[in-house]
Amino acid sequence: MTWRPVLARSVMLRHDRVRDIDLLLLPERVVVLRGDAGNVVRLCDGRRAVPEIVAELGARFPGAPVAREVPGFLSALRREGWLR
């Protein structure tokens, strides 16, 4: 089965305009997303499979190591319970 990541029900992605950072809001916890992590998480809409997310990011950021780094990043978020 192909994994199509989506935020867990208890997790919200928000952008803090004052600090210009992306945040994951969890019950009793806030996670600051550094760099382009927010751009990756925004693509986790439950419709795109991981290879599609990697392809989209590869087109947006040519030369970036997205094929090597993004699947591991998404898996780490899944292990934390922030993606399903």
Side-chain angles (χ1 to χ4, degrees), residues 35-68:
D36 287 307
N39 290 323
V40 177
V41 174
R42 274 186 194 83
L43 294 176
C44 297
D45 56 10
R47 293 177 300 189
R48 295 177 181 96
V50 174
E52 294 169 299
I53 292 170
V54 168
E56 174 71 25
L57 292 166
R60 287 186 195 181
F61 304 102
V66 295
R68 186 178 71 240

Side-chain angles (χ1 to χ4, degrees), residues 61-78:
F61 304 102
V66 295
R68 186 178 71 240
E69 295 180 3
V70 170
F73 172 68
L74 294 176
S75 292
L77 294 182
R78 187 182 205 181

Side-chain angles (χ1 to χ4, degrees), residues 1-83:
M1 182 192 266
T2 301
W3 180 37
R4 298 179 184 280
V6 64
L7 287 174
R9 292 172 202 235
S10 62
V11 179
M12 293 186 293
L13 175 64
R14 293 290 182 259
H15 183 76
D16 182 329
R17 292 181 191 158
V18 173
R19 289 179 247 150
D20 194 30
I21 57 173
D22 291 312
L23 306 167
L24 286 181
L25 305 178
L26 300 97
E28 301 183 24
R29 186 171 179 191
V30 175
V31 176
V32 177
L33 298 175
R34 306 248 182 245
D36 287 307
N39 290 323
V40 177
V41 174
R42 274 186 194 83
L43 294 176
C44 297
D45 56 10
R47 293 177 300 189
R48 295 177 181 96
V50 174
E52 294 169 299
I53 292 170
V54 168
E56 174 71 25
L57 292 166
R60 287 186 195 181
F61 304 102
V66 295
R68 186 178 71 240
E69 295 180 3
V70 170
F73 172 68
L74 294 176
S75 292
L77 294 182
R78 187 182 205 181
R79 283 190 303 276
E80 290 291 336
W82 304 338
L83 288 177

